[in-house]
Amino acid sequence: MPKEKSPPVNLDKYLEGRNHKYMTYEKASRLYGLPFWGFVSVAKEAKATWKLRKTAIVDTVVFEKYLEEYCAISVDEDVFNEMEDYVMPRTRKEVENLEELVKSKKKKYVRYAEGAELFSMGLHSFQSLAKDAGAIRKVKGCVLVNLEKVEAFVESFAEEDF
């Protein structure tokens, strides 16, 4: 006979009569904006953790006291200014004059983001439109959309004047 799962821990039983705030590691790490395991190690160092049957909680009041006492917050102006000018190394270049390149037939294929911008629609809407038109080509993990096919597909929905 398989073992039954035990019910979830009733935290209220452990927290009665205390003026502290308790959270799980996950919620607290999101609250403080720290990586999960980094938060866990700092919380243990602060002695702000409580181990309960199958889970652990953090006393945020004790954790905040530890942060105030041992962690100094300083803003280095030079580092801050460098971060403002920092550009992510793998960002894609914006294509200048995209509409002119397409109209002059110099650019036949575009990526999803460029096509969505060109057709003035959302990214997901453009993706589904391109798939319906059969205009997608995958080249080495890069998806390219044939604009001629998309335009012909859109034009096929033109309403005639009666």
Side-chain angles (χ1 to χ4, degrees):
M1 210 170 153
K3 252 184 156 178
E4 290 184 28
K5 286 188 173 181
S6 59
V9 178
N10 182 5
L11 296 178
D12 295 332
K13 177 176 111 179
Y14 294 97
L15 306 177
E16 285 180 12
R18 299 183 188 264
N19 293 331
H20 293 274
K21 288 178 112 181
Y22 297 94
M23 292 184 184
T24 62
Y25 284 145
E26 185 179 354
K27 286 182 183 177
S29 68
R30 285 186 187 151
L31 175 72
Y32 291 104
L34 296 172
F36 180 81
W37 289 109
F39 175 79
V40 170
S41 63
V42 173
K44 286 181 178 179
E45 186 179 315
K47 296 183 176 41
T49 60
W50 289 64
K51 183 88 170 130
L52 305 175
R53 286 191 340 202
K54 291 185 177 183
T55 187
I57 57 173
V58 177
D59 185 346
T60 56
V61 174
V62 173
F63 185 75
E64 287 178 5
K65 284 181 185 176
Y66 177 81
L67 288 179
E68 288 174 7
E69 188 174 335
Y70 294 105
C71 299
I73 299 173
S74 64
V75 176
D76 188 3
E77 291 296 323
D78 295 334
V79 173
F80 185 72
N81 290 335
E82 287 175 12
M83 291 304 289
E84 285 180 348
D85 298 333
Y86 182 71
V87 177
M88 293 297 290
R90 295 184 59 106
T91 57
R92 292 193 174 95
K93 287 198 268 182
E94 286 289 320
V95 178
E96 294 179 15
N97 305 325
L98 179 64
E99 291 181 22
E100 293 173 15
L101 289 172
V102 171
K103 287 179 183 174
S104 65
K105 306 288 185 199
K106 289 183 180 177
K107 191 160 185 167
K108 183 178 178 180
Y109 291 96
V110 294
R111 292 178 179 239
Y112 281 140
E114 296 170 344
E117 182 181 328
L118 190 64
F119 280 84
S120 301
M121 56 188 345
L123 181 65
H124 294 286
S125 299
F126 182 74
Q127 286 175 345
S128 64
L129 178 70
K131 287 177 186 174
D132 292 343
I136 295 174
R137 301 291 177 260
K138 292 183 181 179
V139 180
K140 293 186 179 182
C142 179
V143 178
L144 298 174
V145 179
N146 185 338
L147 288 178
E148 292 173 355
K149 287 188 176 184
V150 173
E151 288 174 359
F153 183 73
V154 170
E155 290 299 321
S156 70
F157 292 105
E159 293 182 15
E160 295 181 17
D161 291 333
F162 290 101

